[in-house]
Amino acid sequence: MYAIIETGGKQYRVENGSEIFVEKLNVEADQVVTFDKVVAYSDAEGSLKVGTPYVEGVKVSGTVLKNGKAKKITVFTYKPKKGSARKLGHRQPYTKVRIDEIG
């Protein structure tokens, strides 16, 4: 049994017990979060339900494990022969969620 959920402008394939990194949510650690934007749902028999745009009556709940930041990436832009260069760094915030229940 699995589901495809949408959060933060991205889609994730989740199963019971799977851990995913999603865009930062305004939820503290050890709290329960519910995803109601389920794009597709496959039950135990293997039949697939695809929503238009979302499947009605199916929700995915999970527990927030932690909020954090990803590794730093370095962004370096320059224009040759102009003496122009710029170096920036960025750390994307994320929320780690463990999927508890699909249904």
Side-chain angles (χ1 to χ4, degrees), residues 10-61:
K10 299 179 182 74
Q11 294 179 357
Y12 301 92
R13 182 184 190 271
V14 296
E15 297 176 355
N16 286 334
S18 63
E19 295 179 355
I20 58 172
F21 292 92
V22 298
E23 295 292 320
K24 185 166 182 353
L25 303 172
N26 291 328
V27 182
E28 297 296 323
D30 297 328
Q31 288 186 345
V32 176
V33 63
T34 303
F35 302 103
D36 56 352
K37 293 183 177 180
V38 178
V39 178
Y41 169 71
S42 174
D43 57 6
E45 291 85 36
S47 64
L48 181 67
K49 295 179 186 176
V50 179
T52 56
Y54 304 115
V55 178
E56 296 294 328
V58 178
K59 294 186 179 186
V60 175
S61 64

